[in-house]
Structures are given as C-alpha cells and as structure tokens.
C-alpha cells in the first residue's frame, strides 16, 4: 500500500490592515488642521462609515487651499454611494468654496433612493448647485419630488426650486397645483412662496 500524499497546506491569508479608528479621528477633532493627513486617510479608509463621515466633516476645518484636502474631498464626493458621507463632503466643500459638478451630480443621483429625512437635508443643499452644469438634473429631481408622499420632502423641493429660477413650465405648473390643492398647509405655503419669487 502506497503512503498517502501529505495534505496540501496553504498559508493563512494576511489580515487586512485595519482602517483609521473613530477614536483617532475624535482625538484629531481637537485640532483638525494639525491632523490633515490622518483625516484624509480616515476619509479614504476609516474603519466605519461614522469614522469616514466625521473625517469628511473635519476636513472642512482644514486649509481649503491644500490640494491634498480638496483632492481627497473631490475623490470621495464623486465616487461614494454613502449619502451621509456625501453630505458631509459637500458641507466641507461648501466651507472651502470648492463644491464641484461631480459631487453635485453624485448627490442628484443618490437622493431619490434615500429616506425622507436624508432627502430633505440633501434637497436643501442643492441650492448651491444652481449655477453648475448639473442644474437641469437638479431641477428634474426637485420637480419629481414635488410628488413625494412625504410633506416635508415636498416642502423642501418646493422651496429649493425657487433658487433655480427661471423654471421650466412643468415645474411652475406643479408648484401652482401644490399651492392650490396640496393637503398640507405647509406645502401649499411653500409652493406659493416659491411662485412669489418669480420662478417663471
């Protein structure tokens, strides 16, 4: 009887290097501008979504002229599918006056699938994009969300639309309908307020 071949053994896979921990980012929060490198690393490879979101927010307090900061924010803003992270990135970009079309377009793409509370937060942010190349996509999203089942989303959409004036006829028509017929008094008032700003 032939001896059996020894069982093949394979080396254990190397453990993935852990990302930056939340505790490290919380410590860096005491002086963000002195911990820029750590915050950029945490934004890119934090150990949890909360870690990355906090890092994104704290980068808003760092030097807005630092290309490493603006580059890291732009990279995350244009590629993430985490809306909470994206909103934190947008807030920091707004602090630096570096918000850009790729971040804006990503926000427009992701907002329709969000929970109502997140939609409201995102919709009110869209007013900062009224002069960008994604203006038309913003108007389409806002106009569509005038039909939301949630009154607070309709309010946010109606009010934000007035920052994109002049509006296409369809958007104006929907605002007029809301101002006259919506079941929510707050929605009716918000739509009327937008119309009063001369959206035609």
């Amino acid at each position: 009887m032939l001896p059996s071949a020894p069982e093949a053994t394979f080396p254990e896979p190397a453990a993935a290097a852990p990302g930056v921990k939340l505790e490290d980012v919380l410590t860096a929060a005491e002086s963000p501008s002195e911990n820029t490198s750590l915050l950029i690393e945490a934004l890119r490879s934090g150990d949890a979504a909360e870690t990355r979101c906090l890092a994104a927010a704290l980068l808003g307090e760092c030097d807005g002229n630092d290309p490493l900061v603006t580059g890291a924010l732009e990279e995350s803003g244009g590629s993430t599918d985490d809306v909470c992270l994206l909103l934190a990135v947008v807030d920091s970009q707004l602090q630096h006056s570096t918000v850009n079309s790729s971040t804006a377009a990503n926000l427009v793409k992701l907002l329709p699938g969000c929970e109502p509370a997140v939609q409201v937060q995102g919709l009110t942010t869209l007013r900062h994009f009224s002069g960008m190349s994604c203006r038309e996509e913003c108007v389409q999203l806002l106009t569509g969300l005038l039909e939301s089942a949630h009154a607070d989303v309709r309010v946010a959409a109606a009010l934000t639309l007035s920052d994109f004036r002049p509006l296409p006829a369809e958007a104006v028509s929907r605002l007029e309908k809301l101002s006259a017929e919506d079941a929510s008094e707050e929605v009716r008032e918000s739509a009327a307020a937008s119309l009063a700003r001369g959206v035609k």
Side-chain angles (χ1 to χ4, degrees), residues 108 112 123 126 135-149 153-162 164-178 199:
V108 169
L123 292 179
L126 291 185
R135 180 186 189 283
E136 184 177 338
E137 289 83 355
C138 289
V139 171
Q140 288 175 352
L141 172 63
L142 290 163
T143 303
L145 288 175
L146 292 175
E147 307 295 327
S148 171
V153 173
R154 298 197 301 278
V155 166
L159 292 174
T160 306
L161 268 170
S162 66
F164 289 84
R165 60 192 187 277
L167 293 174
E170 180 190 0
V172 174
S173 175
R174 289 198 190 183
L175 285 171
E176 289 173 339
K177 184 176 180 182
L178 284 183
V199 294

Side-chain angles (χ1 to χ4, degrees), residues 67-91:
L68 294 177
V69 171
T70 57
L73 288 169
E74 182 172 353
E75 175 189 325
S76 291
S79 62
T80 185
D81 58 3
D82 179 336
V83 178
C84 293
L85 174 57
L86 182 53
L87 288 170
V89 167
V90 170
D91 283 344

Side-chain angles (χ1 to χ4, degrees), residues 6-12:
E7 287 186 20
T9 57
F10 300 96
E12 289 290 322

Side-chain angles (χ1 to χ4, degrees), residues 13-31:
V20 178
K21 298 187 183 322
L22 179 61
E23 307 87 77
D24 298 326
V25 176
L26 289 169
T27 301
E30 296 173 13
S31 53

Side-chain angles (χ1 to χ4, degrees), residues 48-196:
E50 184 182 4
T51 306
R52 296 188 292 275
C53 287
L54 179 58
L58 290 171
L59 283 169
E61 300 179 34
C62 298
D63 183 2
N65 294 315
D66 184 339
L68 294 177
V69 171
T70 57
L73 288 169
E74 182 172 353
E75 175 189 325
S76 291
S79 62
T80 185
D81 58 3
D82 179 336
V83 178
C84 293
L85 174 57
L86 182 53
L87 288 170
V89 167
V90 170
D91 283 344
S92 287
Q93 288 181 325
L94 289 171
Q95 288 182 60
H96 297 320
S97 299
T98 58
V99 72
N100 58 72
S101 291
S102 68
T103 302
N106 197 23
L107 184 57
V108 169
K109 178 182 77 174
L110 295 178
L111 277 178
C114 296
E115 295 179 1
V118 177
Q119 282 185 337
V120 169
Q121 184 182 356
L123 292 179
T124 56
T125 300
L126 291 185
R127 73 180 189 277
H128 299 287
F129 307 150
S130 60
M132 295 188 178
S133 60
C134 62
R135 180 186 189 283
E136 184 177 338
E137 289 83 355
C138 289
V139 171
Q140 288 175 352
L141 172 63
L142 290 163
T143 303
L145 288 175
L146 292 175
E147 307 295 327
S148 171
H150 303 276
D152 51 350
V153 173
R154 298 197 301 278
V155 166
L159 292 174
T160 306
L161 268 170
S162 66
D163 290 299
F164 289 84
R165 60 192 187 277
L167 293 174
E170 180 190 0
V172 174
S173 175
R174 289 198 190 183
L175 285 171
E176 289 173 339
K177 184 176 180 182
L178 284 183
S179 70
E181 302 175 7
D182 198 90
S184 163
E185 181 180 0
E186 188 178 5
V187 173
R188 293 195 304 273
E189 290 175 351
S190 299
S194 285
L195 290 166

